[in-house]
C-alpha cells in the first residue's frame, strides 16, 4: 500500500523492462494473474488496484480520469520507477491515455486492451447514469451479476464466476465515481495520433462492449493492431496465451 495514492498492488519478477498493468471497471490486479505468471521470469511486472477497487482505498467525492492517472504517477514516483510499458484494460485504457498525454516521459510504450480513445456518446453517457442508479438502488452484488456476463464472448465461460467475485470487492463509492469519470472523459484520439511512443491496440473479435473499430481508431507506423480471435472484452482471461505472445512481441520490438 502506498502512502500517497493509497493503491494496493503486486510487484514481482525481474528484468530490465518494467510492465505495469491497469485493470478495467470493477476489476482488480487479479484480472492479470495468468499474464503475470508467464511474464515475471523475464520482466518486472506490476499490477495495481485502482481507487475503490480490489484492496485499494476508496476516495470520497467526485474524481476524474485525470485524477486516476495522477494516482498512477504518484505510485510510480513513490516506487522510484523511471519508465514503464503501460497496459490498460478498458477503464485502465482511458487512464493510460490520460497518463500518456500528461506524462509521456514516464512511458517506454503503452497499450489499450479492449479500450478506446473515443469519449462516451450520448447513449453511453445515459448508460453510465443507469448503472449509477442500479448500484444505488440494488447494491453492488446485483450490479456485478448483471455486468460481468456481458463482458465475455460466451455466457458459459468458466471465468465468469471468479470475475464476479473480483467485482464484488469494488466499493460503491469507487464504482459510482468511476462511472462518472468515464462518462465525463474527453476524446483522446489526438494522443494516439501524436504520440512518439510505440502503441499496442488490442481488440476482441467478439467484444460486445467496445467494438473493434472503436479500438482501432487511429493508424500509424507507431501503432500495432491485434485482434484476439474468439475473445469478448476480457482477453486476459479468454485468450491469455495469445495476449502474452503479443505483449512480449511488442516489448521486445520496442525496448
Amino acid at each position: 500500500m502506498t502512502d500517497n495514492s493509497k493503491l494496493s498492488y503486486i510487484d514481482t519478477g525481474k528484468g530490465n523492462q518494467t510492465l505495469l498493468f491497469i485493470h478495467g471497471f470493477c476489476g482488480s490486479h487479479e484480472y492479470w494473474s495468468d499474464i503475470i505468471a508467464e511474464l515475471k521470469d523475464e520482466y518486472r511486472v506490476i499490477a495495481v488496484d485502482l481507487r475503490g477497487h480490489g484492496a485499494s482505498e476508496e476516495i470520497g467525492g467526485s474524481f476524474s480520469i485525470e485524477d486516476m492517472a495522477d494516482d498512477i504517477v504518484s505510485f510510480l514516483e513513490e516506487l522510484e520507477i523511471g519508465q514503464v510499458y503501460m497496459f490498460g484494460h478498458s477503464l485502465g485504457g482511458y487512464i493510460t491515455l490520460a497518463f500518456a498525454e500528461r506524462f509521456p516521459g514516464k512511458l517506454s510504450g503503452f497499450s489499450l486492451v479492449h479500450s478506446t480513445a473515443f469519449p462516451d456518446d450520448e447513449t453511453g453517457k445515459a448508460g453510465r447514469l443507469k448503472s449509477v442508479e442500479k448500484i444505488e438502488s440494488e447494491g453492488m452484488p446485483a450490479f456485478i451479476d448483471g455486468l460481468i456476463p456481458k463482458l465475455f464472448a460466451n455466457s458459459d465461460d468458466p471465468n465468469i464466476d471468479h470475475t464476479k467475485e473480483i467485482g464484488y470487492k469494488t466499493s460503491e463509492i469507487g464504482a459510482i465515481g468511476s462511472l462518472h469519470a468515464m462518462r465525463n472523459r474527453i476524446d483522446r484520439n489526438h494522443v494516439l495520433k501524436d504520440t512518439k511512443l510505440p502503441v499496442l491496440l488490442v481488440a476482441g473479435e467478439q467484444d460486445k462492449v467496445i467494438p473493434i473499430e472503436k479500438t482501432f481508431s487511429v493508424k500509424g507506423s507507431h501503432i500495432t493492431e491485434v485482434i484476439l480471435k474468439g475473445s469478448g472484452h476480457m482477453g486476459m482471461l479468454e485468450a491469455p496465451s495469445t495476449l502474452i505472445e503479443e505483449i512480449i512481441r511488442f516489448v521486445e520490438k520496442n525496448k
Side-chain angles (χ1 to χ4, degrees):
M1 188 74 74
T2 72
D3 291 331
N4 295 326
S5 58
K6 307 301 183 185
L7 299 184
S8 178
Y9 65 97
I10 59 169
D11 182 353
T12 187
K14 56 187 179 180
N16 295 325
Q17 310 298 325
T18 301
L19 280 51
L20 175 64
F21 292 90
I22 306 177
H23 63 79
F25 178 57
C26 291
S28 80
H29 71 274
E30 293 180 70
Y31 273 14
W32 304 103
S33 294
D34 291 342
I35 308 297
I36 293 169
E38 292 297 323
L39 294 176
K40 64 185 178 69
D41 290 339
E42 297 296 329
Y43 309 100
R44 180 180 181 182
V45 185
I46 302 172
V48 301
D49 291 348
L50 296 171
R51 56 168 70 184
H53 290 70
S56 287
E57 294 183 4
E58 60 186 31
I59 299 175
S62 63
F63 55 87
S64 65
I65 294 297
E66 292 78 12
D67 291 330
M68 299 175 92
D70 287 344
D71 289 346
I72 301 298
V73 76
S74 296
F75 166 80
L76 291 175
E77 288 173 350
E78 188 166 328
L79 266 63
E80 299 182 345
I81 295 173
Q83 289 186 320
V84 299
Y85 288 91
M86 186 174 292
F87 299 82
H89 170 240
S90 199
L91 164 61
Y94 310 150
I95 296 166
T96 296
L97 279 170
F99 190 101
E101 181 176 42
R102 302 167 73 213
F103 312 111
K106 295 185 177 297
L107 294 173
S108 300
F110 66 92
S111 173
L112 308 186
V113 182
H114 308 300
S115 193
T116 180
F118 285 110
D120 279 356
D121 58 18
E122 291 307 311
T123 300
K125 288 181 178 181
R128 303 292 188 194
L129 295 182
K130 288 180 180 178
S131 293
V132 170
E133 292 171 1
K134 185 174 179 67
I135 292 170
E136 291 177 337
S137 63
E138 301 181 33
M140 284 301 297
F143 175 72
I144 292 297
D145 287 345
L147 170 69
I148 297 303
K150 299 175 184 176
L151 305 182
F152 290 84
N154 299 310
S155 59
D156 59 350
D157 191 294
N159 291 295
I160 288 176
D161 286 344
H162 179 58
T163 306
K164 286 182 180 180
E165 292 297 327
I166 294 171
Y168 297 150
K169 299 174 186 176
T170 310
S171 73
E172 287 194 16
I173 289 174
I176 290 172
S178 296
L179 284 164
H180 285 298
M182 290 189 287
R183 185 178 187 272
N184 295 329
R185 76 185 189 278
I186 65 171
D187 188 316
R188 282 198 164 90
N189 277 288
H190 63 278
V191 178
L192 291 181
K193 178 182 177 182
D194 297 337
T195 183
K196 304 303 181 184
L197 296 164
V199 178
L200 174 65
L201 301 178
V202 180
E205 183 183 41
Q206 300 180 44
D207 193 332
K208 298 185 283 282
V209 180
I210 297 179
I212 293 172
E213 62 270 17
K214 285 289 186 71
T215 297
F216 299 161
S217 58
V218 173
K219 309 292 182 182
S221 59
H222 62 298
I223 294 177
T224 300
E225 298 178 354
V226 171
I227 296 175
L228 300 180
K229 301 294 185 182
S231 175
H233 194 66
M234 300 292 289
M236 68 290 295
L237 299 175
E238 295 175 281
S241 295
T242 304
L243 183 55
I244 289 164
E245 291 173 2
E246 296 296 344
I247 289 171
I248 293 172
R249 185 176 291 115
F250 174 69
V251 173
E252 292 302 309
K253 175 184 176 182
N254 294 294
K255 70 180 183 180

